[in-house]
Amino acid sequence: MAVTLVNPEGLPKVDLYRQVSIASGTRLVFIAGQVACDADGVTIGEGDLAAQVEQCYLNVGTALAEAGASFDDVVKLTVYLVDWTPDKMPLLLDGAARAAAKLKTTSAPPLTGVGVAALAGPDLLVEVEATAIVS
């Protein structure tokens, strides 16, 4: 594996992700922000943050596979969330866990969550972009 994920002593332990990603591969893969749309452009999980997070992660997984990568190769995720408030964290965790189960991964790369006013469409609640490294 080209990625080692760690939570260094002295930093908060976070269940959703690790604080540091150490990459040793040779090819960088940048995945554009993925929203909760299927291959036909239909929004999945309208009004349901957990369902949309799950679909975004699955879309990232599809994009990674095209590059010969998987979530085990991801070194950084950025998640953009519409009208984010901390009470929505369980929905984010639930959607990510459901996607991880489907993708058969336990990877928890560093993640930055960013609250935003809106995304590209009025029904979109979340967008996920990824950076991966593969050997």
Side-chain angles (χ1 to χ4, degrees):
M1 179 180 350
V3 180
T4 303
L5 303 173
V6 296
N7 268 331
E9 291 298 321
L11 293 180
K13 301 286 188 267
V14 182
D15 291 333
L16 181 60
Y17 61 89
R18 301 298 170 264
Q19 299 282 9
V20 176
S21 178
I22 303 165
S24 60
T26 57
R27 284 189 311 133
L28 284 174
V29 178
F30 298 94
I31 307 298
Q34 298 298 305
V35 295
C37 292
D38 65 14
D40 296 322
V42 175
T43 300
I44 303 300
E46 188 172 330
D48 182 342
L49 179 60
Q52 289 202 12
V53 169
E54 179 182 1
Q55 185 63 44
C56 289
Y57 274 61
L58 293 174
N59 288 350
V60 168
T62 298
L64 288 165
E66 180 66 23
S70 73
F71 261 90
D72 293 333
D73 301 306
V74 172
V75 295
K76 177 72 168 65
L77 291 171
T78 304
V79 180
Y80 302 93
L81 300 130
V82 174
D83 297 324
W84 175 253
T85 55
D87 63 307
K88 296 177 184 175
M89 182 62 82
L91 298 170
L92 174 62
L93 294 172
D94 181 45
R98 292 183 341 212
K102 289 181 178 177
L103 295 164
K104 296 178 175 39
T105 184
T106 58
S107 179
L111 181 150
T112 299
V114 181
V116 297
L119 294 169
D123 298 330
L124 300 174
L125 303 174
V126 61
E127 183 170 331
V128 179
E129 65 182 25
T131 302
I133 190 162
V134 290
S135 298

